Amino acid sequence: MFRYRRKVGMPLKEVEEKLKAELEKKGYKVVLEFTPSEVVKAKLGVEMEPYRIFYVCNPKQFYEMTKVEYEIGSFAPCPVLLYEKEGSVYVAINAAEDIGEIIKEPLEDVRAVIDSL
């Protein structure tokens, strides 16, 4: 399984607020937000359920990871998906084991925040 996904029993906006707050407690910042569902609507005229991508980064961990593998930036910042599908809200992150030990701790931190939602 290359993705860790959790169905969350809260409204999308509430999950977004809690996700950001809990990530900040662990030293993560949302450095970029992207809403593909809005782009799809604007460019294609197609309505789709809300779909957001938050790119999160813990600056200290990123710096430490670059000491091990300088090109780790291809995995960081960490993309966190937040979307609604058929009335349910989901949060997901990449979780491939082959990503390696270098990025394991940040993914575990973000996964712990998702579990806390």
Side-chain angles (χ1 to χ4, degrees):
M1 179 168 151
F2 70 93
R3 182 155 320 277
Y4 175 77
R5 178 180 59 216
R6 180 158 187 262
K7 184 176 179 179
V8 184
M10 290 183 265
L12 188 96
K13 189 66 179 166
E14 187 178 335
V15 174
E16 178 180 338
E17 291 169 3
K18 187 170 182 181
L19 176 69
K20 288 179 180 179
E22 293 300 316
L23 285 168
E24 283 216 22
K25 288 179 186 176
K26 292 195 173 275
Y28 288 82
K29 303 284 185 207
V30 174
V31 295
L32 178 65
E33 296 182 30
F34 176 55
T35 308
S37 56
E38 289 178 7
V39 174
V40 168
K41 182 177 180 182
K43 298 292 183 182
L44 303 177
V46 176
E47 290 283 338
M48 67 182 283
E49 293 177 280
Y51 195 110
R52 310 247 3 237
I53 304 172
F54 301 103
Y55 292 91
V56 302
C57 180
N58 179 313
K60 182 177 186 276
Q61 283 186 339
F62 178 78
Y63 176 67
E64 294 301 321
M65 289 187 302
T66 62
K67 291 179 182 179
V68 176
E69 174 54 63
Y70 199 75
E71 293 180 351
I72 196 66
S74 62
F75 292 104
C78 176
V80 179
L81 307 179
L82 173 61
Y83 62 93
E84 191 170 328
K85 187 172 182 176
E86 298 172 356
S88 295
V89 175
Y90 297 88
V91 182
I93 59 171
N94 291 326
E97 296 302 321
D98 59 356
I99 289 175
E101 291 297 314
I102 297 170
I103 198 164
K104 184 178 179 182
E105 184 178 344
L107 287 176
E108 288 175 350
D109 286 345
V110 174
R111 185 176 182 165
V113 168
I114 293 169
D115 282 342
S116 75
L117 298 175

